[in-house]
Every structure is written in C-alpha cells, then in structure tokens.
Amino acid sequence: MTELHMQSIPISTIADVFGTPLYVYDADVIAATYTSLRRVLHPAIELYYSLKANPNISVTAELIDAGAGAEVSSLVELQTAAAAGAGPEQTIFLGPGKSDDELLACVEAGIRAVVVESRGELRRLAGLAGAESVDVLLRVNPAFTSTGSGLSMGGKPRQFGIDEEDIPAVVAEATGLPGIQVRGLHAYMGTRILKAADVVRNTAEILAMAARLRQDCGIELDTVDIGGGLGVAYFAKEQDIELDELVPGLNEVVAEFATGHPDTRLIMELGRYLVARAGTYVVRVRDVKTSRGERFAVADGGTNHHMAAVGIGSFVKRNFPIRHLTALDEPAVAPYTITGPLCTPNDVIGKAVPLPEVRPGDLLGVERSGAYGPSASPVGFLSHGHPAEVLVRDGTAHLVRRGDIPSDLLDRQILITRTKEHDMTADHTIADHTIKAIAVALDEVLQRELPPITEQTRLFDELHLDSTSVLELLMALEEGLGIEVDPEALRPEDFDTVGSLAEYVRAQAADSTAGSTAGSTAGSTAGSTSA
Ligand SMILES: *Cc1c(COP(=O)(O)O)cnc(C)c1O
C-alpha cells in the first residue's frame, strides 16, 4: 500500500502527530505557484495575495516571503498581513462595510491604498483621516459585465464599488476632501474564472475603462487594480488555467496599456489560484456502513470544515478530488459516499466517490482544498470547532493553527446564574441588586451619614424613616428600578427591614413584568401571595 507523502513525510505520520481532522498545506506548492506565475507576468503587474482565501498567518507569510503584496478585508486580516511581514506599502484594504476602526487602522498604518466602495465611505474616511493623508483607489462597478465567472460582478446593481457612471462626480468631490489622495481604480470581475481568454478580455475591458475615465475626469492612475479571479479546476471536465494560454494575451493587453500609461502600476489580486492546490483536508474514517445499497464512509470531519465540498448550488453534486490517502495505488472497488459528523443529510463531502476498500481508521483526503476551507465553513456547527492546520515546509511539518479544544468553545460562553423562585435567599444576584438600589435610594432621600446598609438594617428603628421619607423612598425606587409601586399592596411590615422592603420591591417588579403581559390584577395577586 502506498500512501500520500508531503515532502517525504507520510501522511499517516502527520495525522498521528497532529490528529484529525486537519488541513495540511505544502509550502513548496505555494511558493512554486507564485513563482511560476510571477516569472512570466508583465513587470507592470504586481501580485497581491487575497488573504480571504486562506488567512492562516504562516500561509500568508509564505506568499509575502515569495514577494506578494497583501490584499486584506478586515482588521484581523490587516494585522495578519503585517505580522506575516507585509509592509504597509504592499498592503491594500478593500471590502464593503468597513468599520471606523478598520479605516482608522489603515490611516494609522499608512497602507498603500484603501479601496473605497462608496461615496459615503469616502466621506467617512476623509472625516476619520483628519489631517492625515490617505491614498485611495476607487472601486468601480463597471458598466460592462464580465465573462467566465459564475459570480459576475459588473454591469449589475451591486453593493460593491461605485457605479462607473458616478466616478467623475466622486473624483470631483474627492479633490475637495483634504487628506484623500485618489491614486487610481480597482475592479474585480468575479471568481473561479477558468478560461484564459476570459481573463484577458476582462483585463482589457478594465484597462480600457481606466483609460477612458482618465480622459473623462483626469483621475490619477498611479495604480489600477485589475482584480483577478483566476480559478483552479475542482470538478470533472474542468481544467486549470494554462499559463501558456493566459500569459501571452494578458501581457499583450498590459503592454499596450503601459505604452499609454508608463507610470501606472497594475495590481492583480489572487486568492484561490495561489493556495488552493497546496492544501488537503485530511479526515479519518470512523465508520463504514451500507444503507439501502449505498456505501457510506462516515468520517471525523465534514462540511463543518469544508463547506465548499458540499457543492452548494449545483443540482447534481459535483465532487472535489478525493483520494484514499493510505491506499493510493489500489484500484477502486466501490463508490463511497463520504460524510462527516454533523446531524444533517447535507454533510456530504463526496458523493459516490470510487475508492479502494475503505475501513474504519483509514485516511481520506479532499485535495485542492487550500482555499476557502475552514475560514469559509460553519466551524461552530455542533461545536466541533476549527480544525488544526499544518504547513509542511523544508521537509518539516509545522502546526500553524492549533485545532479548537473544548475550552476554546466553552470559555467564551457565559452561564447565567440559576435562581429558584421559591428560594429567595438563593437569589443572590437579584437580592444584591435590589439591596444596592435601596441603599442608593436611601442615600438620596435621607441625605445624611448612614450606617452600612444590609438586609438586616431596620428602616424605622435604625434609619428613622418618617412618612414623608417613605414616600420619597418609594418614588426613588420606582425611578431607579423602573418599576411601578402599587400602594394597595403595601403592608406596614414591608418596612421592617431593608430585606423586607427588597422582597416587596421584587414582588412589584414581577408584577410590572406580569402586568405587561397577563394583566396587573392577576400579577399583583400572585405577587402579594409570594411576598
Ligand atoms: C474574493 C476576492 C478576491 C479573491 O478571489 P479569488 O477568486 O480567491 O482569487 C479578490 N478580490 C476581491 C475584490 C474579492 O472579493
């Protein structure tokens, strides 16, 4: 039996050491993918890594080390990129709905560009920047539509970017905003484009649009971000983009633009293309069973870590490439449906996958899974948590993210104090709260030095309340606790001690709540019986 090796380390060793389910990434594949693209691209194009595809800090660092810039879309991604070694001059921030904190962090870091998605965001950024200067690219929602992506971005109403028609007005407005330096444009036409000709055509359209807008409104074109969206093949009959097919056409379009705009730098931002092929999702089979003639391999991880594998949106489920990692050379004997530990029939990472004999304990791998894995999956479902991630680099397997352990999921939750209605003395939180409110009210009403207030403090004997101060006290409590006091329900013994008054107040509070739903009469009867 041959098994998969990652840079000569058997996958079973990696699985034993780090546990399953886990993601394993091959640093050599990441570096080679980047380098082979970089080597052939026109020098005017700078490659930026879209952290969204795989935000792991060590994966990001591989690409930064290889020479990529960073394209980030959240505060944590901004911090990840910086920690992974991306300088501010090689970082851009884009995405709809940026928070003030995110925009301020961009201003403070002095990143290469904030990609602004709307006129409102531009104004907000200007307000936050104050006297600081901030470089901006305007994201355009082009008037034309893209080709080749299932998720096309242009020519439609979208929450992304500024409609091409409105760009001149926004550029004009930006000149009046101190601090804002519009440096160019950004357009992103969609994801998972597999045909080289589509990438070339989209790029040509974006560059033509940039040139047009430069003519129309004199926008500075220090930088044009041409998006990217290069795909990788996942499913049967798909093929990776061939660089031989892509590069000549792309470089030609770029060279032509560069002649007219020699000082403009182009950014191509890529996520999936750079990391997808470097990653394998490794699961261990727990159970093998047959149901009504269909064979199931039930594994320890599923769509909770790899949502993309479920193939949402396709009528016929299409499988990611899946292999039996410890029996690579054995012939397939049967189709297996591979499921995970979730209590939903949709937890299927492979449907009728032809595989060699599968036994409990075997390792299966979903390949080409380095992009949009755990970070794009419902890792909280059934509280299984985030899987471990391992990066194999220079022949050594490194843990680059510890898998969640129970305390990671439990410690963030807050169990509120249990109380029993019939046992008022056990009701410490509420009692303390009410006693405290009474102490505050007494302080306010009596306006003199008081002994320490406890439940036992006697209101008339010790504090010398009179009938006026009783009324004022009740009013202060109504105000302070947001309750309504029912004078009918008041009995002299309620004023014995702070504790008895607290009980009365609690009954009134219960009435106010009950009154709003069940009617105050029923509420006050219940309240006075329990008090
Ligand atoms: C998601 C996204 C990317 C990365 O997309 P890939 O298909 O993974 O390369 C780049 N730019 C923008 C604006 C995006 O939204």
PDB file of all heavy atoms in Angstrom, residues 257-290:
ATOM      1  N   PHE A 257      -1.439  48.902 -22.759  1.00  0.00           N
ATOM      2  CA  PHE A 257      -1.851  49.930 -21.796  1.00  0.00           C
ATOM      3  C   PHE A 257      -0.631  50.674 -21.264  1.00  0.00           C
ATOM      4  O   PHE A 257      -0.641  51.905 -21.114  1.00  0.00           O
ATOM      5  CB  PHE A 257      -2.628  49.283 -20.645  1.00  0.00           C
ATOM      6  CG  PHE A 257      -3.074  50.240 -19.580  1.00  0.00           C
ATOM      7  CD1 PHE A 257      -4.237  50.997 -19.747  1.00  0.00           C
ATOM      8  CD2 PHE A 257      -2.345  50.413 -18.414  1.00  0.00           C
ATOM      9  CE1 PHE A 257      -4.651  51.890 -18.760  1.00  0.00           C
ATOM     10  CE2 PHE A 257      -2.750  51.302 -17.431  1.00  0.00           C
ATOM     11  CZ  PHE A 257      -3.910  52.043 -17.599  1.00  0.00           C
ATOM     12  N   ALA A 258       0.440  49.927 -21.009  1.00  0.00           N
ATOM     13  CA  ALA A 258       1.647  50.528 -20.426  1.00  0.00           C
ATOM     14  C   ALA A 258       2.273  51.558 -21.362  1.00  0.00           C
ATOM     15  O   ALA A 258       2.891  52.520 -20.900  1.00  0.00           O
ATOM     16  CB  ALA A 258       2.652  49.430 -20.080  1.00  0.00           C
ATOM     17  N   THR A 259       2.105  51.372 -22.655  1.00  0.00           N
ATOM     18  CA  THR A 259       2.645  52.358 -23.596  1.00  0.00           C
ATOM     19  C   THR A 259       1.998  53.723 -23.379  1.00  0.00           C
ATOM     20  O   THR A 259       2.679  54.754 -23.348  1.00  0.00           O
ATOM     21  CB  THR A 259       2.357  51.919 -25.055  1.00  0.00           C
ATOM     22  OG1 THR A 259       2.401  50.499 -25.112  1.00  0.00           O
ATOM     23  CG2 THR A 259       3.344  52.520 -26.008  1.00  0.00           C
ATOM     24  N   GLY A 260       0.701  53.720 -23.210  1.00  0.00           N
ATOM     25  CA  GLY A 260      -0.005  54.991 -22.991  1.00  0.00           C
ATOM     26  C   GLY A 260       0.082  55.486 -21.560  1.00  0.00           C
ATOM     27  O   GLY A 260      -0.139  56.670 -21.291  1.00  0.00           O
ATOM     28  N   HIS A 261       0.377  54.575 -20.630  1.00  0.00           N
ATOM     29  CA  HIS A 261       0.398  54.938 -19.197  1.00  0.00           C
ATOM     30  C   HIS A 261       1.630  54.332 -18.544  1.00  0.00           C
ATOM     31  O   HIS A 261       1.537  53.440 -17.708  1.00  0.00           O
ATOM     32  CB  HIS A 261      -0.862  54.428 -18.495  1.00  0.00           C
ATOM     33  CG  HIS A 261      -2.137  54.833 -19.151  1.00  0.00           C
ATOM     34  ND1 HIS A 261      -2.664  54.177 -20.232  1.00  0.00           N
ATOM     35  CD2 HIS A 261      -2.987  55.857 -18.887  1.00  0.00           C
ATOM     36  CE1 HIS A 261      -3.788  54.765 -20.610  1.00  0.00           C
ATOM     37  NE2 HIS A 261      -4.011  55.790 -19.814  1.00  0.00           N
ATOM     38  N   PRO A 262       2.819  54.857 -18.931  1.00  0.00           N
ATOM     39  CA  PRO A 262       4.070  54.210 -18.485  1.00  0.00           C
ATOM     40  C   PRO A 262       4.269  54.242 -16.969  1.00  0.00           C
ATOM     41  O   PRO A 262       5.017  53.418 -16.439  1.00  0.00           O
ATOM     42  CB  PRO A 262       5.149  55.018 -19.204  1.00  0.00           C
ATOM     43  CG  PRO A 262       4.495  56.312 -19.593  1.00  0.00           C
ATOM     44  CD  PRO A 262       3.047  56.027 -19.781  1.00  0.00           C
ATOM     45  N   ASP A 263       3.620  55.177 -16.275  1.00  0.00           N
ATOM     46  CA  ASP A 263       3.867  55.276 -14.830  1.00  0.00           C
ATOM     47  C   ASP A 263       2.839  54.536 -13.989  1.00  0.00           C
ATOM     48  O   ASP A 263       2.912  54.560 -12.753  1.00  0.00           O
ATOM     49  CB  ASP A 263       3.906  56.746 -14.402  1.00  0.00           C
ATOM     50  CG  ASP A 263       5.028  57.494 -15.106  1.00  0.00           C
ATOM     51  OD1 ASP A 263       6.069  56.845 -15.367  1.00  0.00           O
ATOM     52  OD2 ASP A 263       4.848  58.691 -15.407  1.00  0.00           O
ATOM     53  N   THR A 264       1.880  53.928 -14.666  1.00  0.00           N
ATOM     54  CA  THR A 264       0.840  53.228 -13.904  1.00  0.00           C
ATOM     55  C   THR A 264       1.299  51.831 -13.531  1.00  0.00           C
ATOM     56  O   THR A 264       1.811  51.094 -14.359  1.00  0.00           O
ATOM     57  CB  THR A 264      -0.455  53.128 -14.735  1.00  0.00           C
ATOM     58  OG1 THR A 264      -0.860  54.447 -15.096  1.00  0.00           O
ATOM     59  CG2 THR A 264      -1.564  52.454 -13.944  1.00  0.00           C
ATOM     60  N   ARG A 265       1.123  51.490 -12.250  1.00  0.00           N
ATOM     61  CA  ARG A 265       1.405  50.127 -11.801  1.00  0.00           C
ATOM     62  C   ARG A 265       0.084  49.368 -11.706  1.00  0.00           C
ATOM     63  O   ARG A 265      -0.933  49.931 -11.308  1.00  0.00           O
ATOM     64  CB  ARG A 265       2.105  50.145 -10.444  1.00  0.00           C
ATOM     65  CG  ARG A 265       3.496  50.783 -10.541  1.00  0.00           C
ATOM     66  CD  ARG A 265       4.141  50.915  -9.175  1.00  0.00           C
ATOM     67  NE  ARG A 265       3.379  51.811  -8.305  1.00  0.00           N
ATOM     68  CZ  ARG A 265       3.536  51.865  -6.987  1.00  0.00           C
ATOM     69  NH1 ARG A 265       4.402  51.071  -6.397  1.00  0.00           N
ATOM     70  NH2 ARG A 265       2.824  52.711  -6.248  1.00  0.00           N
ATOM     71  N   LEU A 266       0.144  48.113 -12.086  1.00  0.00           N
ATOM     72  CA  LEU A 266      -1.081  47.303 -12.042  1.00  0.00           C
ATOM     73  C   LEU A 266      -0.993  46.296 -10.903  1.00  0.00           C
ATOM     74  O   LEU A 266       0.089  45.766 -10.618  1.00  0.00           O
ATOM     75  CB  LEU A 266      -1.273  46.557 -13.368  1.00  0.00           C
ATOM     76  CG  LEU A 266      -1.313  47.425 -14.625  1.00  0.00           C
ATOM     77  CD1 LEU A 266      -1.522  46.550 -15.855  1.00  0.00           C
ATOM     78  CD2 LEU A 266      -2.417  48.476 -14.529  1.00  0.00           C
ATOM     79  N   ILE A 267      -2.112  46.083 -10.260  1.00  0.00           N
ATOM     80  CA  ILE A 267      -2.179  45.048  -9.216  1.00  0.00           C
ATOM     81  C   ILE A 267      -3.115  43.953  -9.695  1.00  0.00           C
ATOM     82  O   ILE A 267      -4.204  44.230 -10.190  1.00  0.00           O
ATOM     83  CB  ILE A 267      -2.711  45.626  -7.884  1.00  0.00           C
ATOM     84  CG1 ILE A 267      -1.684  46.574  -7.254  1.00  0.00           C
ATOM     85  CG2 ILE A 267      -3.077  44.503  -6.911  1.00  0.00           C
ATOM     86  CD1 ILE A 267      -2.150  47.216  -5.957  1.00  0.00           C
ATOM     87  N   MET A 268      -2.640  42.714  -9.582  1.00  0.00           N
ATOM     88  CA  MET A 268      -3.528  41.576  -9.778  1.00  0.00           C
ATOM     89  C   MET A 268      -3.656  40.899  -8.420  1.00  0.00           C
ATOM     90  O   MET A 268      -2.656  40.549  -7.798  1.00  0.00           O
ATOM     91  CB  MET A 268      -2.947  40.616 -10.807  1.00  0.00           C
ATOM     92  CG  MET A 268      -3.825  39.422 -11.092  1.00  0.00           C
ATOM     93  SD  MET A 268      -3.059  38.329 -12.311  1.00  0.00           S
ATOM     94  CE  MET A 268      -4.258  38.443 -13.623  1.00  0.00           C
ATOM     95  N   GLU A 269      -4.892  40.767  -7.939  1.00  0.00           N
ATOM     96  CA  GLU A 269      -5.079  40.179  -6.611  1.00  0.00           C
ATOM     97  C   GLU A 269      -5.639  38.775  -6.756  1.00  0.00           C
ATOM     98  O   GLU A 269      -6.633  38.559  -7.427  1.00  0.00           O
ATOM     99  CB  GLU A 269      -5.988  41.071  -5.751  1.00  0.00           C
ATOM    100  CG  GLU A 269      -7.309  41.377  -6.421  1.00  0.00           C
ATOM    101  CD  GLU A 269      -8.065  42.532  -5.781  1.00  0.00           C
ATOM    102  OE1 GLU A 269      -7.409  43.431  -5.224  1.00  0.00           O
ATOM    103  OE2 GLU A 269      -9.304  42.537  -5.846  1.00  0.00           O
ATOM    104  N   LEU A 270      -4.949  37.832  -6.150  1.00  0.00           N
ATOM    105  CA  LEU A 270      -5.322  36.430  -6.304  1.00  0.00           C
ATOM    106  C   LEU A 270      -5.388  35.724  -4.954  1.00  0.00           C
ATOM    107  O   LEU A 270      -4.490  35.873  -4.128  1.00  0.00           O
ATOM    108  CB  LEU A 270      -4.280  35.701  -7.171  1.00  0.00           C
ATOM    109  CG  LEU A 270      -4.114  36.174  -8.610  1.00  0.00           C
ATOM    110  CD1 LEU A 270      -2.956  35.446  -9.267  1.00  0.00           C
ATOM    111  CD2 LEU A 270      -5.394  35.968  -9.408  1.00  0.00           C
ATOM    112  N   GLY A 271      -6.435  34.975  -4.772  1.00  0.00           N
ATOM    113  CA  GLY A 271      -6.551  34.158  -3.579  1.00  0.00           C
ATOM    114  C   GLY A 271      -6.465  32.692  -3.937  1.00  0.00           C
ATOM    115  O   GLY A 271      -5.419  32.044  -3.826  1.00  0.00           O
ATOM    116  N   ARG A 272      -7.579  32.192  -4.450  1.00  0.00           N
ATOM    117  CA  ARG A 272      -7.709  30.764  -4.742  1.00  0.00           C
ATOM    118  C   ARG A 272      -6.559  30.211  -5.574  1.00  0.00           C
ATOM    119  O   ARG A 272      -5.988  29.170  -5.267  1.00  0.00           O
ATOM    120  CB  ARG A 272      -9.022  30.556  -5.505  1.00  0.00           C
ATOM    121  CG  ARG A 272      -9.407  29.108  -5.713  1.00  0.00           C
ATOM    122  CD  ARG A 272     -10.619  28.991  -6.630  1.00  0.00           C
ATOM    123  NE  ARG A 272     -11.650  29.958  -6.360  1.00  0.00           N
ATOM    124  CZ  ARG A 272     -12.660  29.774  -5.516  1.00  0.00           C
ATOM    125  NH1 ARG A 272     -12.775  28.646  -4.870  1.00  0.00           N
ATOM    126  NH2 ARG A 272     -13.555  30.730  -5.320  1.00  0.00           N
ATOM    127  N   TYR A 273      -6.207  30.934  -6.648  1.00  0.00           N
ATOM    128  CA  TYR A 273      -5.201  30.425  -7.577  1.00  0.00           C
ATOM    129  C   TYR A 273      -3.878  30.121  -6.865  1.00  0.00           C
ATOM    130  O   TYR A 273      -3.209  29.140  -7.169  1.00  0.00           O
ATOM    131  CB  TYR A 273      -4.974  31.436  -8.706  1.00  0.00           C
ATOM    132  CG  TYR A 273      -4.000  30.954  -9.744  1.00  0.00           C
ATOM    133  CD1 TYR A 273      -4.417  30.151 -10.796  1.00  0.00           C
ATOM    134  CD2 TYR A 273      -2.651  31.280  -9.658  1.00  0.00           C
ATOM    135  CE1 TYR A 273      -3.515  29.687 -11.739  1.00  0.00           C
ATOM    136  CE2 TYR A 273      -1.739  30.824 -10.600  1.00  0.00           C
ATOM    137  CZ  TYR A 273      -2.182  30.024 -11.642  1.00  0.00           C
ATOM    138  OH  TYR A 273      -1.287  29.558 -12.571  1.00  0.00           O
ATOM    139  N   LEU A 274      -3.530  30.968  -5.897  1.00  0.00           N
ATOM    140  CA  LEU A 274      -2.224  30.821  -5.257  1.00  0.00           C
ATOM    141  C   LEU A 274      -2.175  29.709  -4.217  1.00  0.00           C
ATOM    142  O   LEU A 274      -1.118  29.118  -3.988  1.00  0.00           O
ATOM    143  CB  LEU A 274      -1.806  32.153  -4.616  1.00  0.00           C
ATOM    144  CG  LEU A 274      -1.550  33.308  -5.596  1.00  0.00           C
ATOM    145  CD1 LEU A 274      -1.236  34.591  -4.823  1.00  0.00           C
ATOM    146  CD2 LEU A 274      -0.402  32.969  -6.546  1.00  0.00           C
ATOM    147  N   VAL A 275      -3.295  29.409  -3.562  1.00  0.00           N
ATOM    148  CA  VAL A 275      -3.204  28.471  -2.440  1.00  0.00           C
ATOM    149  C   VAL A 275      -4.050  27.195  -2.553  1.00  0.00           C
ATOM    150  O   VAL A 275      -3.807  26.229  -1.834  1.00  0.00           O
ATOM    151  CB  VAL A 275      -3.540  29.165  -1.087  1.00  0.00           C
ATOM    152  CG1 VAL A 275      -2.445  30.153  -0.717  1.00  0.00           C
ATOM    153  CG2 VAL A 275      -4.904  29.852  -1.135  1.00  0.00           C
ATOM    154  N   ALA A 276      -5.056  27.195  -3.439  1.00  0.00           N
ATOM    155  CA  ALA A 276      -5.990  26.059  -3.445  1.00  0.00           C
ATOM    156  C   ALA A 276      -5.269  24.724  -3.612  1.00  0.00           C
ATOM    157  O   ALA A 276      -5.514  23.764  -2.876  1.00  0.00           O
ATOM    158  CB  ALA A 276      -7.032  26.227  -4.549  1.00  0.00           C
ATOM    159  N   ARG A 277      -4.353  24.653  -4.564  1.00  0.00           N
ATOM    160  CA  ARG A 277      -3.744  23.363  -4.890  1.00  0.00           C
ATOM    161  C   ARG A 277      -2.758  22.889  -3.840  1.00  0.00           C
ATOM    162  O   ARG A 277      -2.318  21.747  -3.850  1.00  0.00           O
ATOM    163  CB  ARG A 277      -3.073  23.450  -6.272  1.00  0.00           C
ATOM    164  CG  ARG A 277      -4.101  23.455  -7.392  1.00  0.00           C
ATOM    165  CD  ARG A 277      -3.521  23.865  -8.704  1.00  0.00           C
ATOM    166  NE  ARG A 277      -3.218  25.293  -8.728  1.00  0.00           N
ATOM    167  CZ  ARG A 277      -2.887  25.970  -9.818  1.00  0.00           C
ATOM    168  NH1 ARG A 277      -2.774  25.350 -10.963  1.00  0.00           N
ATOM    169  NH2 ARG A 277      -2.648  27.265  -9.749  1.00  0.00           N
ATOM    170  N   ALA A 278      -2.416  23.784  -2.901  1.00  0.00           N
ATOM    171  CA  ALA A 278      -1.421  23.411  -1.890  1.00  0.00           C
ATOM    172  C   ALA A 278      -2.033  22.695  -0.696  1.00  0.00           C
ATOM    173  O   ALA A 278      -1.304  22.205   0.166  1.00  0.00           O
ATOM    174  CB  ALA A 278      -0.692  24.665  -1.412  1.00  0.00           C
ATOM    175  N   GLY A 279      -3.356  22.620  -0.626  1.00  0.00           N
ATOM    176  CA  GLY A 279      -3.974  22.134   0.607  1.00  0.00           C
ATOM    177  C   GLY A 279      -4.776  20.852   0.452  1.00  0.00           C
ATOM    178  O   GLY A 279      -5.425  20.623  -0.568  1.00  0.00           O
ATOM    179  N   THR A 280      -4.706  20.000   1.476  1.00  0.00           N
ATOM    180  CA  THR A 280      -5.514  18.776   1.527  1.00  0.00           C
ATOM    181  C   THR A 280      -6.248  18.737   2.865  1.00  0.00           C
ATOM    182  O   THR A 280      -5.640  18.983   3.917  1.00  0.00           O
ATOM    183  CB  THR A 280      -4.622  17.525   1.416  1.00  0.00           C
ATOM    184  OG1 THR A 280      -3.852  17.608   0.210  1.00  0.00           O
ATOM    185  CG2 THR A 280      -5.459  16.243   1.386  1.00  0.00           C
ATOM    186  N   TYR A 281      -7.535  18.461   2.789  1.00  0.00           N
ATOM    187  CA  TYR A 281      -8.306  18.270   4.015  1.00  0.00           C
ATOM    188  C   TYR A 281      -8.285  16.775   4.338  1.00  0.00           C
ATOM    189  O   TYR A 281      -8.732  15.968   3.524  1.00  0.00           O
ATOM    190  CB  TYR A 281      -9.736  18.770   3.813  1.00  0.00           C
ATOM    191  CG  TYR A 281     -10.638  18.584   5.004  1.00  0.00           C
ATOM    192  CD1 TYR A 281     -10.231  18.939   6.292  1.00  0.00           C
ATOM    193  CD2 TYR A 281     -11.930  18.079   4.852  1.00  0.00           C
ATOM    194  CE1 TYR A 281     -11.073  18.790   7.383  1.00  0.00           C
ATOM    195  CE2 TYR A 281     -12.779  17.928   5.937  1.00  0.00           C
ATOM    196  CZ  TYR A 281     -12.341  18.284   7.205  1.00  0.00           C
ATOM    197  OH  TYR A 281     -13.181  18.134   8.277  1.00  0.00           O
ATOM    198  N   VAL A 282      -7.704  16.441   5.477  1.00  0.00           N
ATOM    199  CA  VAL A 282      -7.491  15.037   5.833  1.00  0.00           C
ATOM    200  C   VAL A 282      -8.483  14.635   6.930  1.00  0.00           C
ATOM    201  O   VAL A 282      -8.532  15.263   7.991  1.00  0.00           O
ATOM    202  CB  VAL A 282      -6.047  14.820   6.340  1.00  0.00           C
ATOM    203  CG1 VAL A 282      -5.815  13.359   6.689  1.00  0.00           C
ATOM    204  CG2 VAL A 282      -5.041  15.288   5.296  1.00  0.00           C
ATOM    205  N   VAL A 283      -9.253  13.593   6.636  1.00  0.00           N
ATOM    206  CA  VAL A 283     -10.193  13.083   7.642  1.00  0.00           C
ATOM    207  C   VAL A 283      -9.913  11.605   7.877  1.00  0.00           C
ATOM    208  O   VAL A 283      -9.367  10.919   7.011  1.00  0.00           O
ATOM    209  CB  VAL A 283     -11.674  13.261   7.207  1.00  0.00           C
ATOM    210  CG1 VAL A 283     -12.025  14.735   7.068  1.00  0.00           C
ATOM    211  CG2 VAL A 283     -11.980  12.523   5.898  1.00  0.00           C
ATOM    212  N   ARG A 284     -10.297  11.149   9.053  1.00  0.00           N
ATOM    213  CA  ARG A 284     -10.152   9.732   9.361  1.00  0.00           C
ATOM    214  C   ARG A 284     -11.541   9.093   9.394  1.00  0.00           C
ATOM    215  O   ARG A 284     -12.475   9.675   9.944  1.00  0.00           O
ATOM    216  CB  ARG A 284      -9.439   9.537  10.704  1.00  0.00           C
ATOM    217  CG  ARG A 284      -8.904   8.121  10.882  1.00  0.00           C
ATOM    218  CD  ARG A 284      -8.245   7.924  12.242  1.00  0.00           C
ATOM    219  NE  ARG A 284      -6.951   8.582  12.422  1.00  0.00           N
ATOM    220  CZ  ARG A 284      -5.786   8.126  11.962  1.00  0.00           C
ATOM    221  NH1 ARG A 284      -5.743   7.035  11.228  1.00  0.00           N
ATOM    222  NH2 ARG A 284      -4.658   8.771  12.214  1.00  0.00           N
ATOM    223  N   VAL A 285     -11.624   7.928   8.753  1.00  0.00           N
ATOM    224  CA  VAL A 285     -12.912   7.245   8.687  1.00  0.00           C
ATOM    225  C   VAL A 285     -13.223   6.607  10.036  1.00  0.00           C
ATOM    226  O   VAL A 285     -12.364   5.965  10.642  1.00  0.00           O
ATOM    227  CB  VAL A 285     -12.883   6.170   7.577  1.00  0.00           C
ATOM    228  CG1 VAL A 285     -14.181   5.359   7.573  1.00  0.00           C
ATOM    229  CG2 VAL A 285     -12.648   6.828   6.225  1.00  0.00           C
ATOM    230  N   ARG A 286     -14.444   6.844  10.528  1.00  0.00           N
ATOM    231  CA  ARG A 286     -14.834   6.269  11.820  1.00  0.00           C
ATOM    232  C   ARG A 286     -15.731   5.054  11.658  1.00  0.00           C
ATOM    233  O   ARG A 286     -15.772   4.197  12.510  1.00  0.00           O
ATOM    234  CB  ARG A 286     -15.579   7.317  12.640  1.00  0.00           C
ATOM    235  CG  ARG A 286     -14.684   8.394  13.168  1.00  0.00           C
ATOM    236  CD  ARG A 286     -15.341   9.091  14.367  1.00  0.00           C
ATOM    237  NE  ARG A 286     -14.407   9.977  15.020  1.00  0.00           N
ATOM    238  CZ  ARG A 286     -14.651  11.245  15.299  1.00  0.00           C
ATOM    239  NH1 ARG A 286     -15.821  11.769  14.983  1.00  0.00           N
ATOM    240  NH2 ARG A 286     -13.743  11.972  15.891  1.00  0.00           N
ATOM    241  N   ASP A 287     -16.470   5.066  10.570  1.00  0.00           N
ATOM    242  CA  ASP A 287     -17.480   4.024  10.430  1.00  0.00           C
ATOM    243  C   ASP A 287     -17.712   3.789   8.937  1.00  0.00           C
ATOM    244  O   ASP A 287     -17.656   4.746   8.142  1.00  0.00           O
ATOM    245  CB  ASP A 287     -18.772   4.532  11.094  1.00  0.00           C
ATOM    246  CG  ASP A 287     -19.759   3.405  11.381  1.00  0.00           C
ATOM    247  OD1 ASP A 287     -19.370   2.223  11.242  1.00  0.00           O
ATOM    248  OD2 ASP A 287     -20.908   3.702  11.743  1.00  0.00           O
ATOM    249  N   VAL A 288     -17.915   2.550   8.585  1.00  0.00           N
ATOM    250  CA  VAL A 288     -18.285   2.232   7.209  1.00  0.00           C
ATOM    251  C   VAL A 288     -19.582   1.447   7.274  1.00  0.00           C
ATOM    252  O   VAL A 288     -19.691   0.492   8.051  1.00  0.00           O
ATOM    253  CB  VAL A 288     -17.176   1.402   6.514  1.00  0.00           C
ATOM    254  CG1 VAL A 288     -17.602   1.031   5.096  1.00  0.00           C
ATOM    255  CG2 VAL A 288     -15.864   2.182   6.478  1.00  0.00           C
ATOM    256  N   LYS A 289     -20.569   1.865   6.540  1.00  0.00           N
ATOM    257  CA  LYS A 289     -21.862   1.186   6.614  1.00  0.00           C
ATOM    258  C   LYS A 289     -22.561   1.220   5.273  1.00  0.00           C
ATOM    259  O   LYS A 289     -22.207   2.013   4.388  1.00  0.00           O
ATOM    260  CB  LYS A 289     -22.729   1.834   7.700  1.00  0.00           C
ATOM    261  CG  LYS A 289     -23.012   3.300   7.444  1.00  0.00           C
ATOM    262  CD  LYS A 289     -23.624   3.973   8.662  1.00  0.00           C
ATOM    263  CE  LYS A 289     -25.127   3.729   8.715  1.00  0.00           C
ATOM    264  NZ  LYS A 289     -25.778   4.578   9.740  1.00  0.00           N
ATOM    265  N   THR A 290     -23.544   0.369   5.129  1.00  0.00           N
ATOM    266  CA  THR A 290     -24.334   0.344   3.910  1.00  0.00           C
ATOM    267  C   THR A 290     -25.774   0.656   4.272  1.00  0.00           C
ATOM    268  O   THR A 290     -26.301   0.120   5.245  1.00  0.00           O
ATOM    269  CB  THR A 290     -24.252  -1.042   3.252  1.00  0.00           C
ATOM    270  OG1 THR A 290     -22.875  -1.333   3.006  1.00  0.00           O
ATOM    271  CG2 THR A 290     -25.015  -1.078   1.940  1.00  0.00           C
TER     272      THR A 290
END
